[in-house]
Amino acid sequence: MFICFSFLITFIMLLTDIQANILRPLKLQSQRILFLRFEPQADKRQLRSFFATLSPTKAAEQAANSAMNIMLSYAGMTKLGLNMTAFDEYVGFKMSMANSMGQRLLTAYTHIDAAIILHGADELRLLHQSQLLEQRIATSTLFAPIQIECGQQIYNEEGASIEHFGFRDGISEPRVYDEAGNLRADYAKQSFLFEEQTGHYGSFFVFQKYEQDVEKFQQLVCQMAQALAIDEECAAAQVIGRYRDGKPLAYKKTPQLVTANTEPDYSEDTFGHACPFHAHIRKMNPRDSRIYSVDSYPDFPRKFLIVTFCGEWKKPLKML
């Protein structure tokens, strides 16, 4: 588990203070993640100097054709000599995702100090940019050998982003921007931004890699369709909570006006007739802090909403 921060000297406004890919996911096709481990003898001043030469992309610059994110784990921040008092209550971050997941760990990622994500619309240009940075790291005495993950966004025939089972992806993110495109800054700060120090914000980042059995999913959907005497596409929609084109099963609008961007609404579906309770998006959406508001549930711990990215990662899983 990592946390992303924008290291700017002066806070001007939220969009120019935090990194891109936090308030909303980047829509760039290719990604390369460089996982770094600091050498035990690495001098913290030299490490800081190295990261100071990098330029993470700000949220205000997110429309560009390339971007960079810099993440530090709790261990990495400690080795850099940063003040960690603000993170005392976040036990999961201190332990790291790898140490809290038990036996099924990715062997290469159990002791990570930092990670750099490079995003690009052009895969060859991204590869060149990454190789230059990899060479700098490899010839430095500050880092152990690095691990690299390469990812590709997946698209359907219409050019829309999808996940491995063919369903529209990235259409149910937290509503950080209003319908006019204006940033809901207070909502973002309350819901999923972390204030490391007064006026400076970041957010937690988790890298998880799954092996998904698309063929098995289709087999189970076929069996479900036969058992319920319904169409296979309807059966798949019952599992996910929306059709492959993104249209939700439960909504308030008239059917003719429903699109992939229609917000699911379960207020009139109290028995799960339109959208089953087990459906993926009914469990996960809406991811809205008003459900667990501090006023309604004063003893309920603060919840971080999540912005997700789903892609195809090229290297096979290495499991213990």
Side-chain angles (χ1 to χ4, degrees), residues 262-274:
T262 299
E263 186 70 23
D265 189 293
Y266 311 112
S267 60
E268 298 178 4
D269 186 30
T270 55
F271 295 100
H273 292 159

Side-chain angles (χ1 to χ4, degrees), residues 95-107:
M95 290 178 61
S96 83
M97 174 65 77
N99 291 331
S100 63
M101 288 185 68
Q103 295 299 314
R104 293 179 60 80
L105 303 180
L106 291 171
T107 57

Side-chain angles (χ1 to χ4, degrees), residues 3 5 74 77 82-91 93-94 194-198 200 204 302 304:
I3 192 164
F5 283 121
Y74 186 91
M77 297 178 77
L82 302 178
N83 185 349
M84 305 304 293
T85 305
F87 305 101
D88 286 344
E89 65 179 293
Y90 297 98
V91 179
F93 178 54
K94 295 174 72 172
F194 180 93
E195 190 170 17
E196 183 237 359
Q197 54 183 330
T198 304
H200 292 275
F204 292 101
R302 179 173 182 238
F304 279 100

Side-chain angles (χ1 to χ4, degrees), residues 61-259:
E61 303 166 347
Q62 187 152 322
N65 290 325
S66 63
M68 174 190 292
N69 286 122
I70 299 176
M71 282 76 68
L72 294 169
S73 68
Y74 186 91
M77 297 178 77
T78 302
K79 292 175 183 178
L80 287 172
L82 302 178
N83 185 349
M84 305 304 293
T85 305
F87 305 101
D88 286 344
E89 65 179 293
Y90 297 98
V91 179
F93 178 54
K94 295 174 72 172
M95 290 178 61
S96 83
M97 174 65 77
N99 291 331
S100 63
M101 288 185 68
Q103 295 299 314
R104 293 179 60 80
L105 303 180
L106 291 171
T107 57
Y109 307 113
T110 52
H111 301 287
I112 299 298
D113 294 315
I116 301 171
I117 305 184
L118 302 176
H119 312 260
D122 185 315
E123 187 174 6
L124 291 179
R125 184 176 179 181
L126 176 68
L127 177 61
H128 177 68
Q129 180 188 10
S130 179
Q131 288 175 337
L132 292 176
L133 183 55
E134 292 167 34
Q135 185 177 18
R136 279 190 62 195
I137 294 170
T139 57
S140 170
T141 60
L142 300 174
F143 306 100
I146 61 176
Q147 298 289 334
I148 302 174
E149 288 284 348
C150 307
Q152 289 285 335
Q153 185 65 269
I154 311 171
Y155 301 95
N156 61 16
E157 294 179 354
E158 288 74 36
S161 174
I162 60 174
E163 45 76 71
H164 294 81
F165 301 115
F167 290 82
R168 283 287 305 274
D169 187 49
I171 55 177
S172 297
E173 304 295 355
R175 298 177 293 279
V176 182
Y177 293 84
D178 61 24
E179 294 182 357
N182 300 312
L183 175 66
R184 300 168 62 195
D186 291 338
Y187 171 80
K189 292 176 185 178
Q190 178 185 4
S191 300
F192 62 90
L193 291 180
F194 180 93
E195 190 170 17
E196 183 237 359
Q197 54 183 330
T198 304
H200 292 275
Y201 296 88
S203 187
F204 292 101
F205 168 84
V206 177
F207 177 81
Q208 291 182 295
K209 186 174 180 179
Y210 299 96
E211 183 176 13
Q212 294 181 307
D213 193 333
V214 176
E215 184 177 351
K216 185 66 173 179
F217 176 82
Q218 291 302 127
Q219 291 175 357
L220 294 173
V221 165
C222 181
Q223 293 173 15
M224 178 179 170
Q226 293 176 356
L228 299 177
I230 60 176
D231 180 83
E232 287 188 21
E233 284 302 302
C234 292
Q238 294 283 312
V239 174
I240 302 300
R242 64 168 80 246
Y243 291 96
R244 281 188 167 88
D245 63 4
K247 295 177 182 177
L249 296 181
Y251 47 83
K252 275 191 174 180
K253 293 185 177 181
T254 57
Q256 294 79 5
L257 300 177
V258 175
T259 68

Side-chain angles (χ1 to χ4, degrees), residues 37-48 50-51 76 78-81 113 140-144:
R37 187 179 303 160
F38 304 156
E39 289 283 14
Q41 73 277 9
D43 181 79
K44 64 182 180 182
R45 290 170 296 181
Q46 292 179 318
L47 286 169
R48 288 189 179 193
F50 172 85
F51 285 108
T78 302
K79 292 175 183 178
L80 287 172
D113 294 315
S140 170
T141 60
L142 300 174
F143 306 100

